[in-house]
Every structure is written in structure tokens, then in C-alpha cells.
Amino acid sequence: MLEIFHQGEREIQNKVGESLIADRNKPLISNSIVRGAIHFIDKQPMAIVGSRNKENELWASLLIGNFGFVKVSDPGTIVFDTEQITSNPSDIFFSNIAQNHQIGSLFIELDSRKRYRVNGTCQINNSLIELSVEQAYPNCPKYIQRRIISTPDHFKKVPSSIVEGSGLTDQIIQWITNADTFFVASADSDGNLDASHRGGNTNFIEITPDGLLKIPDYPGNSLFNTLGNILANPNVGLLFIDFERKQTLQLTGSASLLFGQNTETDLLKTKGTCRYWLFHTSRWIHTIDNHQVEWEFLEYSPFNS
């Protein structure tokens, strides 16, 4: 791989004065999965995936399956076995990848706060989704709330039902503002997808009077993959998980960046970065009975404070 970062990422890194830090972290990014991450991915019962539909909307989705539903067949290939997936079989992810083969994926273990991102293109072979790795790299444990997922021998499949809409209802606003975790799908100007995690204490996401989600951008690894993608391509998808009620909320829309917000309140809310991003929802999907697994909340991330 020649240039790791695309123009949007580089522009953000330079704007905030963190390009040298990004270059120091650049060796973490590879076009294959490092040996130490193979077992980590193989043992995961969940994955976050980002995809695009024919309308160019981005969507972030939750996949849950029996152990072994995701497998690293070789350092350059990850295989998802859809017959072992027990979450909503009608998730928009499956119809999206039939039309657009680019995928962003995130394997995250909330209990250990470990996470590993893998992006690339896929091909569908009967019940198997084979992801060819183009970028793979670990992320730091910051802002991940610890939760333990139940681990029976086999997860139960349940019939899911969905509700779709466009405007933010009172129920959705309450869900978003009460959330301490969400996931984001973004893409660069060439459509290369990425899936990432965002977390904080409840109420870290603000809903503005005109219905935008105002999301603080906390200090991170200086790569600025998500913000760089937003600069290059405003289409974004968000995923919220109701860990208690086994439901998911997927939003698709557009995002913009907000820098230089340096009031005392902004300094506290952004942990000193003075950065936010704003998200406008164009459409949402609420999935009831998305899955049948349980999570036990343990603690908030110490980095939230």
C-alpha cells in the first residue's frame, strides 16, 4: 500500500496539527489481518458492518451469530456464514451488498474494550459473504462502555419486525440522548467504507432545535478516519443498540463538521478538541426483536470523565 490516508483524512490531520501523530500510527494499518487479531475476530459473536444501497445511502448494521459465524480463512479474507447469523435476516445490509460490494466492518468486544476494523470488498458465495481485506487495524479502548454479552452454545433466532420513518419522533430523540454508545458507517469520495465506534456518558449527543444530532469529537488516535470521510463524502449511517430491549435504530443521512467551538462549555463537552460533527437524518429503521442475546452493563469508560 502506498499512501495510507486519503485527501480528507490528511486535510483534517493537518488542520488540527496532528499529522505527525497520524504518521506514527500509520504502521498499524495493513492490508491483511495480523496474527494476534485472527483469534480475536474468530471468537466474536457480533460484528458491526457498514454498507451502501443503490440510492447511495450509508447504513450501519449489527450482525449477531453463533460462534464461528465469522472466520478468518486467511490473513487477507474474512468469511461471514449467513446460516449462522441469528440477528434480523432482513437487515438492509444483505440487500445492500448484493448491489454494492464494499464493506466496512468493526469487531468489538465490549467486555475487554478491544476493537479491530477491517474494510474491503466482498463477494457472495451461496450462504457465505467473503470479505477481501484492504485495510485492517486495531483501535484504542477509549470511550467503550464495558458490557458482557451472554454466550450460550447457540443463539436463538426470532422473527424481527421493523418500523421505518423519516422525522425524529419523541421516542427516537429519547433513545439517542440516553445512549452511551453508537456506531457509524462512513465512506471516502471513492466509496471505500469504514465502520467505527463512538461512546460517552448518556446525553453526550445533543439534539439541536432544528433536529440535528450534535456529536462531540473526542481526542483519539489522530487518524481521523471518520471525520476525513465526512469531509470527503457527507453521507453517513448511524446505529444505536438498545442493549436491554434487544432493539436497534439505524439512521441514514448527511453530516458536516464544526471546528473552533471554544466556549467553556464546548471545551468540556469535547474534552478540549473544540470539534463537533452535525448529522441530519433523512431516514431511519427501527428493528424490534433484532436478536435474542443479553448484555450486562459493567461500567462506563474512565475516559468519559
Side-chain angles (χ1 to χ4, degrees):
M1 301 191 318
L2 298 175
E3 176 53 58
I4 296 289
F5 302 118
H6 63 72
Q7 183 177 350
E9 293 166 329
R10 274 301 191 197
E11 188 169 336
I12 301 293
Q13 293 163 8
N14 291 332
K15 182 180 181 67
V16 302
E18 297 183 26
S19 58
L20 292 179
I21 302 174
D23 285 338
R24 286 200 295 269
N25 290 330
K26 187 163 58 175
L28 295 173
I29 303 174
S30 174
N31 60 358
S32 64
I33 298 167
V34 297
R35 179 178 298 180
I38 291 176
H39 175 67
F40 172 76
I41 293 172
D42 285 349
K43 70 175 183 174
Q44 296 309 311
M46 66 173 280
I48 306 299
V49 287
S51 61
R52 179 191 298 101
N53 65 11
K54 61 182 179 180
E55 290 79 27
N56 211 31
E57 295 174 332
L58 298 192
W59 293 90
S61 302
L62 169 68
L63 302 183
I64 289 180
N66 295 315
F67 289 104
F69 94 95
V70 57
K71 186 75 175 175
V72 180
S73 60
D74 62 67
T77 308
I78 292 178
V79 178
F80 298 87
D81 184 350
T82 60
E83 291 186 347
Q84 295 298 318
I85 293 175
T86 59
S87 52
N88 178 19
S90 300
D91 190 281
I92 196 169
F93 170 75
F94 300 106
S95 60
N96 286 354
I97 63 171
Q99 303 162 355
N100 188 299
H101 300 314
Q102 291 163 311
I103 294 177
S105 64
L106 172 69
F107 301 93
I108 184 167
E109 192 172 69
L110 300 179
D111 178 14
S112 66
R113 296 191 171 113
K114 293 179 180 178
R115 50 181 163 166
Y116 199 80
R117 287 153 84 161
V118 183
N119 306 325
T121 58
C122 74
Q123 62 179 10
I124 302 170
N125 184 9
N126 296 319
S127 65
L128 303 180
I129 301 169
E130 300 175 353
L131 171 60
S132 296
V133 178
E134 294 176 1
Q135 281 193 334
Y137 52 105
N139 277 162
C140 70
K142 287 181 177 179
Y143 317 116
I144 298 176
Q145 318 334 322
R146 288 190 65 214
R147 287 180 166 92
I148 295 179
I149 191 171
S150 59
T151 53
D153 291 336
H154 293 281
F155 295 129
K156 294 180 180 178
K157 292 185 178 182
V158 294
S160 302
S161 59
I162 66 171
V163 180
E164 299 187 50
S166 54
L168 297 182
T169 66
D170 290 342
Q171 178 188 14
I172 288 176
I173 289 173
Q174 183 178 16
W175 186 338
I176 292 170
T177 55
N178 286 341
D180 58 44
T181 298
F182 75 96
F183 301 91
V184 53
S186 62
D188 65 16
S189 57
D190 294 324
N192 299 302
L193 276 149
D194 178 70
S196 186
H197 162 276
R198 290 293 188 275
N201 290 328
T202 55
N203 296 308
F204 82 106
I205 302 173
E206 176 187 347
I207 307 293
T208 68
D210 51 355
L212 300 178
L213 279 62
K214 187 177 181 181
I215 303 164
D217 184 59
Y218 296 151
N221 57 13
S222 301
L223 301 181
F224 293 103
N225 305 118
T226 301
L227 265 62
N229 282 347
I230 291 172
L231 187 65
N233 178 357
N235 295 337
V236 171
L238 307 184
L239 167 69
F240 293 85
I241 302 172
D242 186 327
F243 293 98
E244 286 72 39
R245 297 188 298 164
K246 308 176 181 66
Q247 303 183 18
T248 58
L249 174 66
Q250 296 161 282
L251 311 175
T252 190
S254 59
S256 59
L257 305 179
L258 196 59
F259 291 88
Q261 306 303 295
N262 55 8
T263 68
E264 184 175 349
T265 299
D266 291 322
L267 285 166
L268 289 172
K269 283 186 175 181
T270 65
K271 305 190 187 305
T273 70
C274 304
R275 298 188 299 264
Y276 296 89
W277 48 290
L278 303 174
F279 176 82
H280 173 265
T281 304
S282 60
R283 197 152 68 92
W284 53 261
I285 300 173
H286 172 197
T287 302
I288 302 161
D289 293 324
N290 176 275
H291 55 269
Q292 277 298 305
V293 299
E294 305 279 349
W295 273 278
E296 178 187 353
F297 178 84
L298 297 180
E299 62 180 357
Y300 287 105
S301 169
F303 290 96
N304 292 355
S305 301

